[in-house]
Amino acid sequence: MIQRHLVIAFTLFCLAGADAASTLLKPREPASESAGNNSVIRVNSTNQAYDFFRPWMKKAPFSRRGLGVLIEGGRILVTAELVANNSFIELEKATTAEKSSATVERVDYDANLAILRPVDPAFIAGMKPLELDRGVRVGDRATILQLEPNGEIAQTPGTVTSITVGGYPLDGMGLLLFRIGAPMQQRDGSFTLPAVRDGRLLGLLMRYDARSQTADLISTPVIEHFLKEAAKKTYGGFARAGLSFSATRDPQLRRFIGLNEPGGVYVTDVLAGSPAGKAGLRKGDVILAVDGRALDQDGNYDDPDFGRISFSHLTNTVFHPGDRVVFKVFRGGKVEELPVVLEARDRSKILSESYVVDRAPRFVILGGLVFLELSRPYLQEWGGEWVKNAPQRLVFYDAFQNELPADRGKVVFLAQILPTQDTLGYEDLENLVVSKVNGRPIKSLDDLAEAAKFPVNGFQKIELEEDPGVIFLDAAKVEAGRDALIRQYALPSLQQL
Amino acid sequence: MAKILFAKAGVLPTLGAMFRLVFLAWAVLAVSSVHAAPVASSLVRIEATSQDPNYKAPWNAGEVTGGVGAGFTIGGNRIITNAHVVSNARFLTVSKEGDPKPYQARVLFIAHDCDLAMLTVDEPGFFQGMSALELGGIPAIESTVSVYGYPIGGTRLSVTRGIVSRIDFQPYSHSGMDSHLTIQIDAAINPGNSGGPVMQDGKVVGVAFQGYSGDVAQNVGYMIPTPVVRRFLKDVEDGHYDRYVDLGLTYRNLFNPAARKALGVPDSDSGVLIGSVFGGGASDGLVLPGDVLMAIDGLPVASDATIPMDGDSVALAEVVERKFKGDKVRLNLIRDGKPLEVTVPLNEPWPFNLHSNAYNEKPRFVVFGGLIFQPADRNFMSAYDPDDLRLRYTFDFFIEDKIFRDRPEIVVLSGILADPVNAYAGEFRFAIVDEINGKKIQRLADVAKAFSEPSEYYVIKMAGGGRPIVLERKAVEEARGRIAARYRVTREQNLEK
């Protein structure tokens, strides 16, 4: 499931990229939606991402604009992408261009949703919150709202063409989305556009493909789940069962495993320590039903509202972390029922995170040697073709992280050299995975910072998984050169943990 | 295999030197006009009809292509040319200046790792009237040379002139894996020049062999210098070409004072650090990563990986370059601060061949139930250029991560001849075959064997998990004739190169 969604995320990212390149000039439909001005507000977010090549620096600020939706409690709902790595968020009234600032109250990058709270509650006085539209079906009409430069609301009618589980941005987690066919105009402020129907919120647009004229919306069930979790004392997020599966359409496979049931999916991998792993699911099991709902050969169940959709909608959105869901499993000719207690993923345990936002990347600089922990944003610094262009061993670590031993820890690597007298002869070393420092195994940058306190025979000995295998620094010189190094390369500090 | 490429100290021509250069050019012009006649009587134009194997339809014979190159006689009815001129040749003719008749030729020896080949013509009288060229030494930097050949398809001899720009180790693109001494000249070398002699003072100083395509660099051509040609001639004296030998290790500079001290290297400017030692290579078990190489065959190794040889400072690899299979090389090492001498019997480490372009080989494959299985070697990867990450990792890190120990051949499901029997196997294209019916697949032959054993089901498991592909014997048998006829599969397997 994880890998499958990764692939989906890729293709969709590409599509999303396409809309920026082309401009559409379509006749505008006459205004018809009354939700208009009174419930939406322009949100300008000035964001600044960290530079993963130089993790002590932020990149140049850039600004994203979107149209937030007022929800009950005087809060504003936007996509998480709009405010990712924000330094400053500003609310702007569409008609009067009055401005006031806001802060992020809750954000979930898996679900791509954020709740903003205006610093001055009076700023939104008189605005009317939107309610969620819970009855969306394929074929329904909806209206996507955009803001004209003059503050008028532009409305683009569209039709819900499909309701499916697909990859969300950033992590690629598969969540329910509404796909709408709508011929939209290219306007600035395209991060977060609300879609409404009869004065109710149907979803938030998260990407638009100009060629096929389809928009993907964060669906109401996902928004509802997010709001419910946000209302809790402890935000629980979206759970993952922690397994991947494959269809059982091949009759030869079905006969071989003796599967006579009409449906079911073949479990291809179970993550150690995941809810599915703890419940005892195993590779080779066939999941027949989840929460009493029978699965077809592709893993879809019959949802009363949305039709045939993937059972992962049940485990990540219908149910919440802490809920117990029964998996009916066919194993070795017998049918068993395994209760799975759902959990959201503990992000601190992820070997290579798919996104790192709103926090500085960790680093340690030792005598000009810059050490980092592997994360996908680092690899993505190589641009759109990063899978081919980024250092291949690191790409493979990221891609196959689920196959590594559970106690592998983080992948700490020597990212680059800031040349000094101490690094003579090492200038060309880059992106080499560290195995040990001063004889101590390295599973995190904390390990490395600690190990560096114990030089051996006056040397910092850094062992690498690849050529050249080992490098040494003079521990006393490294210590004595700290201030000079900071001055030479204008570093704010030599570590950030 | 030297990882470090170092630039020779460049000599900037002073004004005086530039004047001298002009005179030199005149002088050489006079000399070459004297020698033009003998060169023409030694030169042959080679026309090759080749058949390049088709890895995507491996049962087919392959496409027939043609090419033109040059060659020259060296006495004893021998013609020297490039290996790439006569690779995969099915029919060869040579013609000499002033004789309109093409003569059939055949390859005596071919050395893909140094791009040289030796041909002969059986027809009596062909060599009569031809004069053998003599091999010279290494021409001096800035000296003028003349290149003879048939560039851009012409049938008449063409001569271009240039100066020697650089003498260095360079990759040989024919095998894609080997680096040898190479001389760079500023004469244009174009297709058709390949295999032609580069002359100075009436002697051959090199064999023209590669250049850059237009947009990379202008006026840069490369020739194979005579030490490489002489080595080839000596290697084949016993009637067989054995290929180059290799130490099977990597090393890098040892400039860093802390590293020198930590490794116990006397504080002079000597020694290089051994990075990795390839399993199965010549040095496996004799040299360890972290050793410092101080001398090779008694020649002191400088910290930039050079040795003094023939009054010059050359790459330390040059010692091994001049050796042959079965020869020994003496290494003086420092291990754990203590001196140590080891003698390495040289061989050609086989795993490297996987990364070399191979020629004159038939693609190996097995077709079963419409599934095509092939071993992934360089030819295979060039033909398919697969994006599959696991396959790319396994191929790229085959040597470095010692994958060859478990998997001497990377057997891949390379294609699917679509048929009802394999209707659900599409998602496994480019997956690596791990097991068939519980037996580990280490070589293509294992696949053929597993499918030849009677079984009701054939269960194929791929590396990295996923569901198995299940083929029922009955279904495969029913499909056999159908697939062979529909796709014109003339052979179901070829296990021989």
Side-chain angles (χ1 to χ4, degrees):
Chain A
M1 199 160 72
I2 289 155
Q3 279 178 359
R4 223 181 55 175
H5 288 150
L6 226 138
V7 172
I8 293 168
F10 261 102
T11 44
L12 290 172
F13 273 134
C14 299
L15 295 179
D19 72 339
S22 60
T23 35
L24 275 175
L25 286 170
K26 290 269 170 190
R28 196 150 60 79
E29 302 272 335
S32 61
E33 184 60 54
S34 58
N37 285 344
N38 208 23
S39 299
V40 295
I41 191 161
R42 178 175 270 165
V43 179
N44 304 322
S45 184
T46 306
N47 303 337
Q48 224 181 338
Y50 280 92
D51 183 338
F52 280 76
F53 284 151
R54 285 158 289 269
W56 50 89
M57 284 173 23
K58 278 183 166 186
K59 291 180 181 172
F62 61 97
S63 141
R64 280 183 173 171
R65 308 176 85 187
L67 207 50
V69 176
L70 190 73
I71 52 171
E72 33 76 43
R75 302 169 302 166
I76 290 148
L77 187 68
V78 292
T79 60
E81 271 190 303
L82 173 65
V83 294
N85 293 313
N86 70 82
S87 301
F88 181 66
I89 302 171
E90 183 180 75
L91 306 176
E92 183 183 339
K93 282 190 182 156
T95 42
T96 61
E98 272 180 276
K99 289 177 182 178
S100 180
S101 59
T103 54
V104 176
E105 185 175 281
R106 174 61 64 193
V107 63
D108 188 320
Y109 290 102
D110 286 345
N112 193 21
L113 284 170
I115 296 170
L116 309 183
R117 189 169 282 283
V119 170
D120 174 15
F123 187 70
I124 51 162
M127 285 180 69
K128 189 174 152 287
L130 274 191
E131 299 221 351
L132 294 186
D133 185 338
R134 290 184 174 83
V136 181
R137 300 285 184 278
V138 169
D140 285 354
R141 307 280 295 168
T143 304
I144 296 170
L145 306 181
Q146 283 175 285
L147 209 52
E148 296 280 32
N150 64 5
E152 287 294 308
I153 299 284
Q155 305 191 8
T156 310
T159 307
V160 178
T161 55
S162 69
I163 296 177
T164 180
V165 170
Y168 272 41
L170 286 165
D171 184 67
M173 185 176 185
L175 296 168
L176 195 72
L177 56 83
F178 297 155
R179 187 155 291 166
I180 288 190
M184 285 174 62
Q185 292 182 39
Q186 187 71 36
R187 288 183 176 84
D188 66 340
S190 52
F191 281 86
T192 311
L193 296 174
V196 294
R197 186 177 68 154
D198 301 333
R200 285 164 188 269
L201 179 67
L202 187 134
L204 295 180
L205 190 141
M206 60 178 173
R207 60 184 158 233
Y208 181 68
D209 175 24
R211 273 172 305 174
S212 64
Q213 301 194 343
T214 53
D216 283 350
L217 305 186
I218 301 170
S219 61
T220 34
V222 172
I223 295 173
E224 198 172 1
H225 181 108
F226 172 66
L227 294 177
K228 268 189 194 164
E229 284 295 329
K232 289 182 184 169
K233 219 156 143 198
T234 318
Y235 181 81
F238 290 75
R240 287 166 209 251
L243 56 82
S244 53
F245 63 86
S246 159
T248 58
R249 288 181 167 210
D250 188 351
Q252 295 180 94
L253 173 73
R254 300 177 70 82
R255 285 194 286 269
F256 172 67
I257 54 182
L259 183 64
N260 294 318
E261 311 277 336
V265 288
Y266 189 94
V267 175
T268 52
D269 204 10
V270 178
L271 275 184
S274 68
K278 286 178 187 167
L281 268 103
R282 294 201 297 253
K283 219 187 242 191
D285 286 348
V286 176
I287 305 172
L288 299 173
V290 173
D291 185 41
R293 284 174 254 212
L295 306 189
D296 67 12
Q297 299 173 352
D298 294 320
N300 297 325
Y301 74 99
D302 215 350
D303 189 278
D305 295 325
F306 306 120
R308 301 205 71 75
I309 54 172
S310 168
F311 80 86
S312 60
H313 175 62
L314 292 173
T315 52
N316 61 31
T317 303
V318 173
F319 290 100
H320 287 250
D323 288 350
R324 186 171 163 277
V325 179
V326 174
F327 278 54
K328 192 169 141 196
V329 163
F330 174 84
R331 177 189 291 173
K334 281 192 290 233
V335 175
E336 292 179 40
E337 294 207 329
L338 300 172
V340 174
V341 180
L342 295 173
E343 283 172 53
R345 211 154 40 143
D346 178 357
R347 291 194 66 81
S348 70
K349 296 233 170 78
I350 299 173
L351 184 142
S352 171
E353 288 189 74
S354 52
Y355 57 83
V356 178
V357 281
D358 299 336
R359 63 186 155 95
R362 286 148 53 89
F363 69 85
V364 170
I365 301 175
L366 192 63
L369 274 52
V370 181
F371 296 98
L372 304 177
E373 281 168 351
L374 178 62
S375 65
R376 196 164 307 152
Y378 178 75
L379 300 172
Q380 285 166 339
E381 294 281 11
W382 269 267
E385 290 276 291
W386 66 269
V387 176
K388 282 211 161 153
N389 297 336
Q392 291 294 286
R393 186 176 287 278
L394 297 181
V395 170
F396 297 135
Y397 262 120
D398 176 71
F400 304 129
Q401 54 182 303
N402 292 343
E403 296 173 27
L404 296 169
D407 63 348
R408 169 63 180 79
K410 297 275 182 187
V411 174
V412 176
F413 61 101
L414 169 59
Q416 57 164 313
I417 307 280
L418 302 173
T420 66
Q421 197 57 36
D422 298 334
T423 62
L424 195 70
Y426 300 151
E427 296 82 358
D428 59 329
L429 300 182
E430 55 182 14
N431 301 311
L432 301 168
V433 177
V434 177
S435 54
K436 285 180 185 174
V437 170
N438 297 329
R440 295 159 187 247
I442 300 301
K443 294 182 176 186
S444 69
L445 280 174
D446 308 279
D447 289 353
L448 187 139
E450 183 65 18
K453 293 177 189 160
F454 304 97
V456 176
N457 301 328
F459 298 105
Q460 298 283 3
K461 182 184 185 189
I462 293 123
E463 291 177 66
L464 305 164
E465 284 187 6
E466 308 153 72
D467 279 348
V470 63
I471 53 177
F472 296 92
L473 297 172
D474 186 317
K477 284 188 180 158
V478 167
E479 199 50 42
R482 290 175 70 93
D483 292 341
L485 179 64
I486 284 176
R487 277 197 308 277
Q488 191 179 349
Y489 289 98
L491 304 170
S493 69
L494 291 183
Q495 69 178 45
Q496 186 166 270
L497 291 173
Chain B
M1 277 315 295
K3 277 232 160 166
I4 313 147
L5 292 178
F6 57 95
K8 287 250 180 189
V11 182
L12 281 175
T14 60
L15 201 59
M18 281 164 75
F19 277 121
R20 255 180 282 131
L21 192 66
V22 174
F23 277 101
L24 198 65
W26 278 108
V28 171
L29 185 67
V31 171
S32 28
S33 65
V34 171
H35 285 277
V39 174
S41 70
S42 310
L43 207 66
V44 293
R45 180 175 183 274
I46 302 170
E47 253 183 84
T49 306
S50 309
Q51 202 166 24
D52 296 327
N54 183 348
Y55 280 78
K56 293 187 174 179
W59 46 86
N60 285 346
E63 203 182 322
V64 176
T65 59
V68 172
F72 57 95
T73 53
I74 53 163
N77 293 356
R78 297 172 299 170
I79 298 166
I80 293 295
T81 186
N82 284 142
H84 74 256
V85 171
V86 296
S87 287
N88 294 336
R90 294 288 174 268
F91 185 69
L92 282 176
T93 60
V94 296
S95 36
K96 43 185 182 177
E97 283 291 307
D99 181 348
K101 183 185 163 187
Y103 296 81
Q104 191 177 343
R106 65 184 169 92
V107 177
L108 289 174
F109 300 103
I110 188 157
H112 297 294
D113 55 355
C114 60
D115 202 358
L116 289 170
M118 189 191 288
L119 318 181
T120 194
V121 174
D122 292 327
E123 190 166 324
F126 172 79
F127 289 100
Q128 270 174 27
M130 295 193 80
S131 48
L133 289 178
E134 213 180 305
L135 296 183
I138 293 179
I141 294 269
E142 288 191 50
S143 65
T144 306
V145 293
S146 303
V147 183
Y148 292 78
Y150 301 89
I152 324 289
T155 54
R156 299 304 303 270
L157 166 66
S158 151
V159 190
T160 54
R161 201 163 48 230
I163 64 158
V164 174
S165 318
R166 170 156 50 179
I167 305 172
D168 201 355
F169 266 71
Q170 291 281 340
Y172 278 38
S173 63
H174 178 59
S175 80
M177 189 56 195
D178 299 87
S179 287
H180 306 293
L181 197 65
T182 309
I183 296 179
Q184 182 189 322
I185 54 180
D186 74 347
I189 290 186
N190 290 301
N193 272 120
S194 286
V198 181
M199 304 295 294
Q200 187 177 68
D201 297 341
K203 287 185 177 172
V204 177
V205 291
V207 180
F209 82 121
Q210 66 188 31
Y212 282 111
S213 50
D215 49 348
V216 179
Q218 301 288 320
N219 282 338
V220 175
Y222 292 98
M223 64 180 189
I224 303 171
T226 51
V228 176
V229 182
R230 285 203 170 90
R231 190 201 175 280
F232 169 64
L233 295 177
K234 189 163 178 218
D235 191 317
V236 302
E237 273 173 9
D238 60 358
H240 183 258
Y241 181 69
D242 287 322
R243 297 180 63 102
Y244 272 75
V245 288
D246 199 289
L247 280 170
L249 47 75
T250 65
Y251 47 83
R252 69 173 277 122
N253 75 59
L254 199 45
F255 299 146
N256 192 275
R260 302 180 63 81
K261 224 165 115 189
L263 292 163
V265 184
D267 206 15
S268 58
D269 190 29
S270 59
V272 290
L273 177 63
I274 304 295
S276 4
V277 178
F278 299 128
S283 306
D284 190 16
L286 295 168
V287 182
L288 299 179
D291 286 354
V292 180
L293 176 61
M294 298 298 291
I296 180 163
D297 272 359
L299 301 166
V301 175
S303 59
D304 65 351
T306 59
I307 48 163
M309 196 188 243
D310 306 337
D312 205 353
S313 165
V314 301
L316 78 83
E318 192 59 31
V319 172
V320 180
E321 286 282 300
R322 297 183 182 190
K323 303 238 177 195
F324 295 89
K325 191 175 174 178
D327 286 356
K328 292 187 167 98
V329 67
R330 195 155 44 87
L331 304 180
N332 288 88
L333 304 169
I334 292 180
R335 179 178 300 167
D336 301 327
K338 293 181 201 75
L340 176 77
E341 187 175 296
V342 296
T343 303
V344 177
L346 291 168
N347 65 18
E348 163 223 334
W350 66 265
F352 292 121
N353 299 349
L354 185 89
H355 285 168
S356 290
N357 298 315
Y359 301 91
N360 301 3
E361 283 185 6
K362 292 196 286 279
R364 295 180 301 136
F365 68 98
V366 169
V367 177
F368 188 77
L371 306 179
I372 308 166
F373 299 91
Q374 287 177 275
D377 54 17
R378 174 73 168 260
N379 290 18
F380 174 92
M381 297 298 276
S382 307
Y384 286 100
D385 193 18
D387 282 333
D388 187 271
L389 264 187
R390 189 180 304 276
L391 176 54
R392 271 178 41 210
Y393 162 75
T394 310
F395 181 77
D396 292 349
F397 288 84
F398 187 71
I399 298 161
E400 209 176 322
D401 287 359
K402 301 183 170 55
I403 293 166
F404 58 87
R405 289 199 163 146
D406 287 339
R407 228 186 261 292
E409 282 180 7
I410 308 165
V411 181
V412 174
L413 170 58
S414 58
I416 293 153
L417 303 169
D419 182 89
V421 71
N422 56 40
Y424 299 96
E427 67 191 88
F428 296 102
R429 186 144 191 247
F430 295 123
I432 298 167
V433 182
D434 194 42
E435 258 181 47
I436 299 176
N437 283 357
K439 293 204 182 81
K440 277 273 168 202
I441 299 303
Q442 296 190 304
R443 294 184 169 77
L444 184 67
D446 299 340
V447 174
K449 187 162 177 288
F451 289 139
S452 70
E453 284 165 8
S455 171
E456 190 187 346
Y457 290 102
Y458 294 96
V459 182
I460 307 158
K461 285 194 181 153
M462 302 302 190
R467 67 173 169 90
I469 301 178
V470 177
L471 297 176
E472 286 167 335
R473 183 187 187 81
K474 217 168 61 173
V476 172
E477 277 169 6
E478 278 167 20
R480 196 170 172 182
R482 186 168 69 213
I483 290 171
R486 187 176 291 155
Y487 295 96
R488 305 225 172 162
V489 178
T490 47
R491 289 185 74 175
E492 285 186 324
Q493 66 177 50
N494 172 47
L495 302 178
E496 304 297 320
K497 280 185 185 175

